Amino acid sequence: MTDVIVFHHAQGLTDGVRQFADQLRGAGHRVTVPDLYEGQTFGTLADGVAYAQQTGFGTIIERGRAAAEGLPNEIVYAGFSLGVLPAQMLAQTRPGAKGALLFHACLPVAEFGGTWPRDTPVQVHAMDADQLFVAEGDLDAARELVATTYAAELFLYPGDKHLFADPSLPDYDEAAANLLMQRVLGFLGRTVRFDPDPSGGERELLGQYLDFQRQTVLAKTDGLNREQMARRHEPSALTLAGLLYHLALVEESWLEERFLGLPVREPWVGVDSEWEFRTSAELDPEQLRQRYREACERSRQAAVQADGLDQLSVQPLRDGRRFTLRWVLMHLLEETARHAGHADLLREAIDGTVGE
């Protein structure tokens, strides 16, 4: 779960902005949607911009700052068009930002201090022929941001609409909005900061590094539908669905079955070595994610039951040797990290989403 604050566009806090926030909530995130217009909405963009000009853009930004004051510092700031003003300001100046999502607008970073925080990822989304984005300098600012910031991405969608992600407005473009949401959910899934305790013990660090790789694999599937999860990229036969189902099997077979000696769980009884890759497309994405989450949690509980890293497994390896908890945690870390790399490439091929 990630904390997100979403700032509305110049037409106010519309039903479409609320629906967008509800989609994020439905994906498990905690979302705040402040009203910068004190209850007013406008039927046209021109009327909304006129109100913002009368109110003062500085006032709009300060209302955004005030709305964020009671929220954690570790938060993602999102803004639609006008809402990019407070979102970008806070991402650049408020310590601890987990990320920024800038929809339909982007300001030069010099507006808020001249540099983008090095460890703060950012996505910019707009249509490639939107004159409000292209002709007013936002596209140039976004390209400069991407050129100077490692963790910055610019996504351009075909079309000339401005507020295309708001389903309550005439500019709404369903295909582009769905792709934007898919990329946003993937972004939010990657915002969990990995900050292992440098003074931690061996057992704690192994668990922390393994959990980070588990979270990375899950993040690579956020926002994708069933067809995308089952999509292959030739010549490889790997799919994200197959990887996720395989890793659920890996978790359960090593920690529960081999290390603790527990019975094989369904549906793994009697299956061959490729079964999970062949059958994963039959499951919905959330079923696959939930099965993997549950498998990881059972693995954590199995590791907790051990007396220490030197405890030996109940079942031996093929050569007859038994392995320690240390060995199996290292093996799971290696295999999960390897498949996280596969998942990274598969996700980029699907919709261009990159990063941890």
Side-chain angles (χ1 to χ4, degrees):
M1 180 182 68
T2 299
D3 284 295
V4 187
I5 185 168
V6 178
F7 296 107
H8 61 74
H9 48 68
Q11 290 182 238
L13 185 50
T14 60
D15 289 341
V17 174
R18 295 181 190 275
Q19 289 175 39
F20 183 90
D22 285 340
Q23 283 186 272
L24 301 186
R25 293 186 183 107
H29 303 290
R30 187 163 49 209
V31 186
T32 301
V33 191
D35 189 343
L36 306 178
Y37 275 13
E38 299 179 329
Q40 298 195 65
T41 57
F42 298 89
T44 69
L45 185 60
D47 287 343
V49 170
Y51 173 81
Q53 291 173 332
Q54 179 183 357
T55 303
F57 294 120
T59 299
I60 299 296
I61 291 173
E62 285 306 311
R63 287 176 181 175
R65 188 198 301 274
E69 281 183 357
L71 299 175
N73 280 22
E74 296 74 21
I75 194 169
V76 171
Y77 301 97
F80 286 82
S81 194
L82 176 74
V84 165
L85 289 171
Q88 188 169 334
M89 180 276 295
L90 287 163
Q92 285 189 230
T93 63
R94 193 171 186 239
K98 281 189 172 183
L101 295 163
L102 311 181
F103 308 129
H104 324 302
C106 181
L107 282 74
V109 294
E111 291 285 334
F112 304 112
T115 60
W116 190 267
R118 186 174 64 88
D119 295 327
T120 302
V122 53
Q123 286 186 348
V124 183
H125 299 260
M127 284 195 159
D128 58 9
D130 170 16
Q131 289 306 298
L132 290 175
F133 185 79
V134 175
E136 296 192 6
D138 298 68
L139 178 57
D140 292 336
R143 285 175 171 162
E144 177 67 18
L145 178 60
V146 170
T148 58
T149 305
Y150 169 75
E153 298 174 280
L154 169 62
F155 294 105
L156 295 175
Y157 304 78
D160 61 359
K161 305 299 184 184
H162 185 54
L163 300 175
F164 70 87
D166 184 327
S168 66
L169 298 180
D171 274 1
Y172 179 62
D173 184 303
E174 183 176 5
N178 287 342
L179 182 54
L180 179 148
M181 177 58 71
Q182 177 179 299
R183 287 166 167 164
V184 164
L185 291 177
F187 178 89
L188 294 178
R190 302 193 305 274
T191 56
V192 177
R193 292 281 174 88
F194 180 51
D195 187 23
D197 182 359
S199 63
E202 183 181 4
R203 190 168 183 172
E204 291 76 21
L205 286 173
L206 280 171
Q208 289 172 24
Y209 273 87
L210 178 54
D211 274 340
F212 174 68
Q213 296 300 332
R214 289 163 171 161
Q215 287 296 328
T216 299
V217 171
L218 281 169
K220 294 301 174 183
T221 71
D222 278 345
L224 298 183
N225 59 34
R226 193 166 178 170
E227 182 275 327
Q228 291 167 320
M229 289 281 286
R231 190 180 299 173
R232 296 182 178 186
H233 298 276
E234 299 297 340
S236 174
L238 285 176
T239 67
L240 284 171
L243 285 178
L244 206 54
Y245 212 19
H246 171 67
L247 284 171
L249 168 60
V250 167
E251 293 278 350
E252 293 176 355
S253 64
W254 277 107
L255 265 300
E256 285 195 312
E257 180 187 344
R258 302 182 197 187
F259 183 69
L260 291 185
L262 298 178
V264 180
R265 285 185 179 271
E266 292 292 347
W268 317 126
V269 177
V271 303
D272 62 72
S273 60
E274 297 295 321
W275 181 86
E276 69 273 21
F277 291 101
R278 295 196 308 271
T279 61
S280 58
E282 300 171 7
L283 300 178
D284 289 332
E286 188 51 36
Q287 287 180 289
L288 288 167
R289 284 190 283 266
Q290 186 59 29
R291 182 59 193 256
Y292 181 54
R293 292 189 197 102
E294 291 171 354
C296 292
E297 180 56 28
R298 284 194 283 266
S299 289
R300 293 186 194 99
Q301 293 304 316
V304 166
Q305 293 178 38
D307 292 333
L309 290 172
D310 293 323
Q311 179 173 318
L312 291 173
S313 63
V314 173
Q315 293 189 13
L317 297 170
R318 291 179 181 177
D319 61 8
R321 292 178 300 164
R322 291 195 295 164
F323 54 87
T324 63
L325 176 63
R326 178 187 294 102
W327 184 93
V328 73
L329 290 178
M330 286 294 295
H331 175 64
L332 282 177
L333 176 57
E334 172 269 329
E335 178 146 359
T336 308
R338 175 170 174 262
H339 288 317
H342 295 146
D344 196 31
L345 293 173
L346 288 168
R347 181 61 188 259
E348 183 176 5
I350 290 170
D351 65 2
T353 298
V354 297
E356 292 179 340

